[in-house]
């Protein structure tokens, strides 16, 4: 260990015998680390935004349906309001909030246009506990009572229908007895959120929806969030035991795209790490091989003076460790400088429509992942040091007599 400490200053001085080559390598490593860390933070921010938008708008962390509803989401697959054991679990400590809903496909018609949408009947007080949508009103107000006569629509849908706040629209949907139910309602509120949500959903009072569709207190679904100290799998298991005849699913099953995006962000970062490391490794190996070949006489002289081959290997590896270590530190600093201005949100601008189509928000919030930065930086450093073993072995194989005779 003492010899390694002695080699440290020598290794550092050797790096700057060719400043231009050293600086180029530092820039390559720093940019590679910067790109890996920035992409990781941005992808995680997009995944978190997608998850946030999905879970806190309609999905919740889990949902309860009648068997067959997910395959055929109509009035024919409805279920009674929760009672007995199921109601006990929903009102217990394992569940922080739950909201009953009627959710069926429907048609909305304005005086100018007609659109296919999903009609959602909600209990406004319960909905505010599981959904952020009631707080995203642009005009008017959200529903205040399950039996309120009124409808809340998205801004984009209102534009497509050529209608506005206060205008009357007609909803048409299949009722429980099979006939086509029609109901005229005034627009009492317009909400703004991701474009798919604005286009696809309209909200009415739960009692109003049940009355119009002839459901007599029946529900289509119950959305819920697990308690702060409860594990979602345990909550789902308790619900399934309490209501074995119902279909209880987590958000992973209900929103496979959101789950895929979350998993993809991790996989993409790993793929990008591999790509950038290959590019960095080429530069590191070339730099070290050139340094080794330029110092053939030096290594021969060191061996002639008694330095063992393993110490020559240690010196070359130490030079690489110092070089890559400085590059990794610079990459982390560049990452911090790049992301600090966006701590209060990054507006995706022209990319926002594409992000909204995947379920994310047009504004994402990058957050530093200290543990992730340390892990990726350590991986790059270790792999970079490992690539230096080849040039180090080449230096150690130098024969003193041949090296001293080299011109």
């Amino acid at each position: 260990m003492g010899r390694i400490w002695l080699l440290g200053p020598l290794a550092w001085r050797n790096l700057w015998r060719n400043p231009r080559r050293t600086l180029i390598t530092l820039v390559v490593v720093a940019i590679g680390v910067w790109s890996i860390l920035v992409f990781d933070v941005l992808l995680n921010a997009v995944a978190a935004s997608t998850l946030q938008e999905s879970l806190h708008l309609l999905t919740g962390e889990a949902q309860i349906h009648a068997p067959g509803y997910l395959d055929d989401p109509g009035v024919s697959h409805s279920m009674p309001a929760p009672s007995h054991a199921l109601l006990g679990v929903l009102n217990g400590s394992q569940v922080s909030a739950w909201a009953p809903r009627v959710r069926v496909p429907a048609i909305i018609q304005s005086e100018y246009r007609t659109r296919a949408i999903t009609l959602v009947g909600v209990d406004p007080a319960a909905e505010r506990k599981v959904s952020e949508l009631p707080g995203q009103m642009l005009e008017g107000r959200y529903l205040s009572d399950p039996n309120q006569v009124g409808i809340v629509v998205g801004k984009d849908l209102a534009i497509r229908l050529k209608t506005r706040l206060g205008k009357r629209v007609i909803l048409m949907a299949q009722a429980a007895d099979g006939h086509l139910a029609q109901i005229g309602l005034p627009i009492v509120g317009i909400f703004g959120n991701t474009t798919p949500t604005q286009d696809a959903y309209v909200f009415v009072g739960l009692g109003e929806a049940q009355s119009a569709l002839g459901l007599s207190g029946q529900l289509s679904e119950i959305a819920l969030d697990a308690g702060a100290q409860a594990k979602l799998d345990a909550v789902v298991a308790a619900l399934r035991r309490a209501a074995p005849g119902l279909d209880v699913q987590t958000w992973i099953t209900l929103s496979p795209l959101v789950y895929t995006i979350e998993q993809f962000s991790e996989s993409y970062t790993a793929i990008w790490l591999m790509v950038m490391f290959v590019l960095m490794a080429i530069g590191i190996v070339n730099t070290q091989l050139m340094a080794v070949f330029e110092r053939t006489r030096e290594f021969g002289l060191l061996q002639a003076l008694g330095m063992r081959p393993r110490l020559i290997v240690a010196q070359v590896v130490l030079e690489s460790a110092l070089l890559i270590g400085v590059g990794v530190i610079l990459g982390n600093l560049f990452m911090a400088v790049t992301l600090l201005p966006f701590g209060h949100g990054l507006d995706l601008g022209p990319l926002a429509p594409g992000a909204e189509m995947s379920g994310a928000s047009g504004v994402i919030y990058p957050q530093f992942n200290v543990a992730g930065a340390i892990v990726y930086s350590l991986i790059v450093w270790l792999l970079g040091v490992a690539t230096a073993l080849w040039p180090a072995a080449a230096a150690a194989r130098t024969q003193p007599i041949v090296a001293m005779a080299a011109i």
Side-chain angles (χ1 to χ4, degrees):
M1 184 60 69
R3 293 176 181 177
I4 297 297
W5 282 110
L6 290 175
L7 292 176
L10 180 61
W12 180 254
R13 286 196 296 268
N14 286 336
L15 289 177
W16 300 102
R17 290 167 66 175
N18 192 324
R20 181 180 179 183
R21 185 166 60 206
T22 298
L23 289 174
I24 291 175
T25 306
L26 283 176
V27 170
V28 170
V29 174
I31 291 177
V33 173
W34 169 84
S35 68
I36 293 169
L37 298 181
V38 169
F39 276 19
D40 179 55
V41 170
L42 293 180
L43 286 174
N44 286 337
V46 171
S49 175
T50 305
L51 185 61
Q52 174 81 5
E53 292 291 323
S54 176
L55 267 60
H56 294 99
L57 281 182
L58 289 172
T59 306
E61 294 185 357
Q63 290 184 3
I64 305 172
H65 303 96
Y69 174 84
L70 293 178
D71 297 322
D72 181 16
V75 291
S76 59
H77 294 102
S78 57
M79 61 184 181
S83 60
H84 303 101
L86 178 58
L87 186 61
V89 175
L90 290 173
N91 290 331
S93 60
Q94 288 184 297
V95 176
S96 64
W98 62 278
R101 296 172 181 159
V102 167
R103 183 169 173 174
V104 295
I107 299 293
I108 186 170
Q109 182 179 23
S110 70
E111 53 194 300
Y112 297 105
R113 292 183 178 176
T114 301
R115 300 281 295 182
I117 47 87
T118 297
L119 168 64
V120 185
V122 298
D123 180 341
E127 201 69 21
R128 284 185 169 87
K129 298 178 181 178
V130 299
S131 174
E132 294 180 352
L133 192 143
Q136 298 176 349
M137 305 304 298
L138 300 178
E139 298 180 50
R141 55 183 173 78
Y142 194 69
L143 301 167
S144 57
D145 186 87
N147 297 308
Q148 179 181 350
V149 177
I151 184 172
V152 174
V153 303
K155 179 182 178 181
D156 194 65
L157 179 61
I159 293 173
R160 292 176 184 274
L161 293 174
K162 293 186 176 181
T163 188
R164 63 181 187 274
L165 186 70
K167 285 286 188 176
R168 196 173 185 84
V169 294
I170 297 175
L171 287 174
M172 294 174 283
Q174 183 182 12
D177 59 5
H179 83 278
L180 183 65
Q182 297 187 44
I183 180 173
L185 297 170
I187 299 176
V188 299
I190 295 178
F191 68 89
N193 200 275
T194 58
T195 301
T197 305
Q198 293 183 40
D199 280 341
Y201 298 96
V202 299
F203 300 87
V204 302
L206 179 61
E208 186 71 17
Q210 291 172 329
S211 175
L213 300 175
L215 288 176
S216 301
Q218 297 283 100
L219 302 174
S220 299
E221 72 181 24
I222 297 174
L224 60 100
D225 288 337
Q229 305 300 324
K231 293 184 178 180
L232 184 58
D233 291 340
V235 175
V236 169
L239 292 169
R240 287 172 177 169
R241 288 193 300 269
L246 298 179
D247 183 18
V248 184
Q249 299 293 341
T250 66
W251 67 271
I252 295 175
T253 302
L254 299 168
S255 300
L257 177 61
V258 176
Y259 180 71
T260 300
I261 291 174
E262 186 181 46
Q263 297 299 308
F264 173 77
S265 64
E266 298 177 3
S267 302
Y268 187 84
T269 302
I271 293 172
W272 188 248
L273 171 64
M274 293 172 58
V275 171
M276 291 307 302
F277 175 72
V278 169
L279 297 177
M280 287 187 291
I282 293 173
I284 293 168
V285 170
N286 284 339
T287 299
Q288 292 301 94
L289 281 176
M290 290 176 63
V292 167
F293 292 145
E294 289 175 358
R295 296 158 60 191
T296 300
R297 290 174 59 86
E298 173 189 335
F299 292 131
L301 177 61
L302 290 174
Q303 290 195 61
L305 293 174
M307 178 177 282
R308 296 183 180 277
R310 65 172 180 271
L311 290 180
I312 293 179
V313 171
Q315 179 179 335
V316 175
V317 171
L318 187 57
E319 292 174 11
S320 297
L322 291 172
L323 180 63
I324 299 167
V326 173
V328 167
I329 293 173
L330 290 175
N332 278 269
L333 292 176
F334 293 161
M335 180 269 291
V337 171
T338 302
L339 296 179
L340 275 176
F342 305 110
H344 297 291
L346 172 61
D347 190 342
L348 296 180
L351 301 177
E356 291 182 357
M357 290 302 296
S358 67
S361 171
V363 178
I364 60 175
Y365 297 88
Q367 293 184 351
F368 291 105
N369 184 356
V370 177
I374 293 174
V375 169
Y376 288 126
S377 298
L378 188 59
I379 289 174
V380 170
W381 184 77
L382 290 175
L383 292 176
V385 172
T387 60
L389 292 176
W390 178 19
R397 288 195 298 267
T398 303
Q399 296 296 323
I401 296 178
V402 176
M404 296 295 291
I407 300 176

